[in-house]
Amino acid sequence: MPESKLNRDGRDKRVLDLYEQLLEIEQRLIPTGLHVFGRPSQGDEKADLLRLIASFDRPESGARAITDLVAESLELLQRGGSFADLAVNDRERVDSLVHEAMQIFVATGEDAAEIFLDDKANVPRGESAGVFALLKDVSEKLKTNNELESLVRALRGEFIEPGPGADLVQNPSILPTGRNTHAINPYSIPSPASFARSKVVADSLLDRFRKEHGAYPQSMALVLWGLDNIKTQGDGVAQALWLLGVRPVRDALNRVTQVEPISLAELGRPRIDVVMTISGIFRDLFSPTVQLLDKAVRLVAHLDEPHDLNYLRKHVMEQIAAEHCELDDAAVRVFSNAPGNYGTNVNFMVMDSQWESGDTLGDLFVVRKCFAYGRDSKGRTIEGREARRAMDRALARVQATYQNIDTFEIGLTDVDHYFEYLGGVSKAVEKRAEAKPAIYLSDSLSRDVKIRSLEETVRLESRAKTLNPKWYEGMLKHGFRGVAEIENHVSNTFGWSATADAVDDWIYSEVATTFLLDEAMLERLRSLNPHSVHSLVQRLLEANGRGYWDADESVLERLRDVSRNLEDQLEGVV
Ligand code: BEZ
Ligand code: MG
């Protein structure tokens, strides 16, 4: 092939890749503003929410994914095909029709929306009726909520009607809000649907690692949270079971109390050694599940299988041989805080800038989280026994760390908990394994499972939220609190520098350009909340000082100026 043709093909591919990435950012659902207690969602935000709800199959409501209906009626997709595999321009065509249909639905109602789709996309009204009936119900329930009334009734000590706790997109029956959120029966997780869904996630995760490293990871560290496993009915737990290669077994009362091995033939790959750090909330809410996870580890450690197909057994046997220890000491994999304790404190240390080297953060994580839970080989319950050495040993083998993200409402930079957990465990691995682990997140927000590296996720979150005018203008409508939210996002982003050095220079540069070097924006922020602006400048200077941001001296000079002016303002010496 002539060289110019090759160059052209290469260029076309790069343009297409870029286009795919832009589409990914554009289509990412983000909260555009804070929830105001007692106020229902409206307008564009409501249309966006409905669109996302409508893009999943809901057999329980007799509704098919609207994107699939449109793509099939336009003969772009065969029934049973995957929407994600469509060409970019076809996907865009479908999305734009769906977007318009949602606007029509919100403005005029289901009849007009059904007629529009029939007219423009050949979707027979009978086929879209199910999804619009669901949207009508959701839309009605979104119009009101009982938040204020319920709060007042709760303060009076009255009964508050219970309702399921979940993400609106995953489970629209959480509406109306303002009910007493209830968790789930811990014996019911993982649900069969969650276990089936999680196979795809675990496989994709292993595929991605294998593509990047040429082999399966022998050992992975997982973070499991309580609320996430409530919302998904156990996705995090199910993913851990799949990685180990076991399936949950229900007893006569339909409670998940046992596990059984999936045969190596069926699994078609080795069993992965999994180190689980569970939050204090998970430990408290899911006591039977903690036992189940520990049971799964011990079961796999006992399977008489070749070591290259059962990495957990391999590691346990190696440790027993090297240290002449008991299996009870070598097979500890479920760790949490000491009883009654919560959190890693890594976030507090980062936020207060009170740390010298990254090792301090990883060590703090282990100090807080090195308490073992489960049952020993004599059947005695282990309820938060200090097991620092066991955790150090287990983390020293880890090649990849991972956490499941399951909601559009809260992502990597919205709260400091993701970096305190996933960042904290990754930092602990880095020192103990003497190598940085690969860090992954899954995205079960989209219908098609996506595994992203930490760096990719930080880029996406920064583009879709922190640096996105739609997001920050939404925040700024909340005045003082909005500026604090912007500062929070930047500090949480910084948390990913501190724990994993996963933030590109351009992200800090764009933050500086957008919020501090633009005079008009700076003035707006400063008049709303000078305290948060001061913290924001300090955080950027800290990012530079600690070597995470290679900034131009001229930019730093201007930031120092801004900082001095703010200090004068805050001291009232303007
Ligand atoms: C949890 O649900 O387990 C959790 C929630 C917030 C922070 C950390 C953990
Ligand atoms: Mg850097």
Side-chain angles (χ1 to χ4, degrees), residues 58-102:
R58 311 259 175 207
E60 70 283 6
S61 311
R64 287 201 52 219
I66 196 158
T67 37
D68 292 11
L69 279 179
V70 171
E72 285 167 21
S73 303
L74 293 173
E75 296 182 356
L76 303 171
L77 186 70
Q78 301 253 326
R79 182 119 193 208
S82 164
F83 184 74
D85 294 338
L86 288 187
V88 176
N89 52 340
D90 288 342
R91 254 188 287 158
E92 219 182 14
R93 185 173 159 209
V94 173
D95 281 331
S96 128
L97 283 164
V98 168
H99 183 79
E100 207 172 331
M102 289 301 134

Side-chain angles (χ1 to χ4, degrees), residues 423-533:
V425 73
S426 302
K427 205 72 202 168
V429 168
E430 186 178 330
K431 175 174 162 189
R432 285 151 188 80
E434 296 178 20
K436 280 180 83 162
I439 311 177
Y440 298 112
L441 294 123
S442 59
D443 183 350
S444 46
L445 325 184
S446 44
R447 285 177 54 205
D448 301 287
V449 173
K450 215 161 206 166
I451 303 292
R452 292 195 183 89
S453 69
L454 173 62
E455 287 80 358
E456 288 164 354
T457 316
V458 171
R459 275 179 215 129
L460 181 59
E461 285 268 311
S462 301
R463 284 273 182 233
K465 288 186 185 153
T466 321
L467 296 168
N468 179 353
K470 198 171 165 186
W471 181 84
Y472 63 72
E473 288 296 344
M475 286 298 153
L476 289 177
K477 287 194 190 119
H478 299 277
F480 183 91
R481 183 66 225 160
V483 186
E485 278 300 315
I486 294 171
E487 190 274 320
N488 262 343
H489 272 71
V490 176
S491 283
N492 293 332
T493 306
F494 173 82
W496 291 111
S497 284
T499 54
D501 197 7
V503 185
D504 300 337
D505 287 311
W506 68 260
I507 295 178
Y508 290 119
S509 298
E510 289 283 313
V511 167
T513 307
T514 308
F515 299 112
L516 300 170
L517 302 180
D518 176 312
E519 289 292 333
M521 178 57 91
L522 176 62
E523 203 34 56
R524 270 176 84 194
L525 300 184
R526 190 163 43 186
S527 64
L528 290 170
N529 181 346
H531 302 276
S532 290
V533 188

Side-chain angles (χ1 to χ4, degrees), residues 225-227 279 281-282 417 421:
W225 284 356
L227 299 178
S279 68
I281 297 181
F282 184 106
H417 299 303
Y421 272 86

Side-chain angles (χ1 to χ4, degrees), residues 65-318:
I66 196 158
T67 37
D68 292 11
L69 279 179
V70 171
E72 285 167 21
S73 303
L74 293 173
E75 296 182 356
L76 303 171
L77 186 70
Q78 301 253 326
R79 182 119 193 208
S82 164
F83 184 74
D85 294 338
L86 288 187
V88 176
N89 52 340
D90 288 342
R91 254 188 287 158
E92 219 182 14
R93 185 173 159 209
V94 173
D95 281 331
S96 128
L97 283 164
V98 168
H99 183 79
E100 207 172 331
M102 289 301 134
Q103 301 282 351
I104 294 171
F105 172 78
V106 171
T108 325
E110 71 275 19
D111 282 340
E114 285 173 27
I115 291 168
F116 169 81
L117 282 184
D118 191 355
D119 200 29
K120 293 283 192 295
N122 308 323
V123 180
R125 289 192 63 180
E127 297 214 0
S128 64
V131 69
F132 284 113
L134 168 70
L135 294 185
K136 187 174 175 195
D137 181 48
V138 170
S139 183
E140 280 302 313
K141 288 183 179 150
L142 275 170
K143 275 190 200 146
T144 54
N145 67 42
N146 305 325
E147 292 168 5
L148 275 173
E149 298 76 12
S150 297
L151 176 64
V152 172
R153 282 180 33 224
L155 292 173
R156 277 199 221 110
E158 292 175 17
F159 174 75
I160 309 298
E161 196 184 301
D167 176 290
L168 175 56
V169 176
Q170 283 173 4
N171 183 1
S173 68
I174 65 159
L175 296 173
T177 55
R179 288 183 290 171
N180 190 2
T181 301
H182 62 71
I184 53 169
N185 172 1
Y187 285 105
S188 71
I189 77 153
S191 70
S194 160
F195 191 66
R197 183 162 65 226
S198 299
K199 176 181 193 314
V200 189
V201 180
D203 287 349
S204 308
L205 182 59
L206 294 176
D207 277 353
R208 168 123 195 205
F209 185 91
R210 217 148 60 108
K211 250 186 220 130
E212 291 178 345
H213 299 86
Y216 285 107
Q218 294 203 10
S219 183
M220 293 187 61
L222 267 51
V223 173
L224 296 177
W225 284 356
L227 299 178
D228 293 25
N229 280 283
I230 292 174
K231 281 186 282 187
T232 59
Q233 309 231 315
D235 277 9
V237 172
Q239 290 160 10
L241 297 182
W242 272 110
L243 291 169
L244 287 164
V246 300
R247 66 165 55 87
V249 177
R250 287 169 185 261
D251 65 14
L253 298 173
N254 201 27
R255 301 178 317 163
V256 180
T257 48
Q258 298 296 331
V259 281
E260 67 181 19
I262 298 166
S263 75
L264 286 171
E266 187 185 338
L267 207 55
R269 58 158 173 88
R271 302 182 196 280
I272 312 297
D273 187 351
V274 178
V275 187
M276 290 159 273
T277 24
I278 64 177
S279 68
I281 297 181
F282 184 106
R283 172 204 57 201
D284 294 352
L285 292 177
F286 288 106
S287 182
T289 319
V290 172
Q291 294 300 330
L292 189 82
L293 291 168
D294 177 66
K295 212 178 258 182
V297 167
R298 287 164 184 277
L299 174 78
V300 171
H302 275 104
L303 293 174
D304 187 10
E305 292 172 336
H307 286 184
D308 59 347
L309 289 173
N310 184 336
Y311 295 131
L312 176 66
R313 181 171 175 83
K314 171 177 182 256
H315 297 152
V316 168
M317 289 301 149
E318 284 172 357

Side-chain angles (χ1 to χ4, degrees), residues 378-420:
K378 299 196 175 65
R380 291 176 299 215
T381 311
I382 306 167
E383 194 97 40
R385 180 187 301 160
E386 206 255 5
R388 172 142 193 188
R389 197 175 137 61
M391 190 176 202
D392 282 338
R393 294 284 280 111
L395 291 180
R397 302 186 196 98
V398 166
Q399 294 164 284
T401 60
Y402 165 74
Q403 185 165 3
N404 184 48
I405 296 193
D406 55 52
T407 169
F408 78 91
E409 286 175 315
I410 301 194
L412 277 197
T413 57
D414 290 298
V415 291
D416 53 6
H417 299 303
Y418 282 108
F419 81 75
E420 67 152 325

